[in-house]
Amino acid sequence: MIKTADDIDAHIGSRVRLRRLTSGISQEQLGAALGVTFQQVQKYEKGTNRIGAGRLYRISRILGVPVSWFYEGLCQTNGASHVGVAADRNGAEITDFISTPEGYALNRAFSRIEHGATRRRLVDLVRTIAEADGR
């Protein structure tokens, strides 16, 4: 039997990347803690290589989340698993965006803005820029 990665592996990998970034841990640091290269961590995060149960448990301990956290966003339909965020494209777009260095930095900076009116004005500004860029 040939093992191939699928949408679930990609989802779990993206959750590993998201948590790693929000924890301020580099791929090199995670790889060293796991005893693998940073290239292997890249493959896990892209969903190219599957993460075994034992390794996922170790990753969960290193990143400080329960194993179930990596499965959030998956759902069951008629007994078959599928990636729930694929059906909810907004959820996937948010995860994809926050997993980028720019998205992560923007999210951190935005969350430090305490004044609600300032946040709303900033969102309006970004919408205006996005609409102009899309033309």
Side-chain angles (χ1 to χ4, degrees):
M1 181 168 101
I2 298 173
K3 294 181 182 178
T4 58
D6 60 19
D7 289 344
I8 295 171
D9 299 306
H11 175 79
I12 291 170
S14 72
R15 300 283 290 173
V16 168
R17 178 174 171 75
L18 175 62
R19 182 61 185 174
R20 180 183 60 76
L21 288 171
T22 59
S23 298
I25 297 173
S26 70
Q27 289 177 330
E28 293 85 1
Q29 291 169 320
L30 180 57
L34 292 170
V36 300
T37 64
F38 80 91
Q39 292 95 335
Q40 183 62 40
V41 173
Q42 286 176 335
K43 291 177 182 181
Y44 290 150
E45 290 181 354
K46 290 179 183 176
T48 305
N49 287 8
R50 289 184 165 172
I51 304 172
R55 180 143 301 149
L56 187 60
Y57 178 80
R58 288 176 47 213
I59 291 170
S60 76
R61 300 285 66 92
I62 294 164
L63 298 179
V65 292
V67 171
S68 61
W69 187 87
F70 299 106
Y71 291 90
E72 289 178 10
L74 293 177
C75 60
Q76 295 278 84
T77 304
N78 299 328
S81 294
H82 69 280
V83 179
V85 293
D88 176 11
R89 189 61 202 142
N90 289 335
E93 287 174 356
I94 291 167
T95 300
D96 291 347
F97 174 70
I98 293 175
S99 294
T100 66
E102 300 85 0
Y104 176 70
L106 184 61
N107 186 55
R108 297 244 340 176
F110 186 83
S111 67
R112 290 193 306 266
I113 300 170
E114 294 180 14
H115 194 256
T118 302
R119 283 179 160 211
R120 286 188 293 279
R121 286 195 307 266
L122 186 55
V123 169
D124 290 341
L125 173 63
V126 172
R127 280 189 187 128
T128 301
I129 292 169
E131 288 170 7
D133 194 43
R135 286 187 226 142

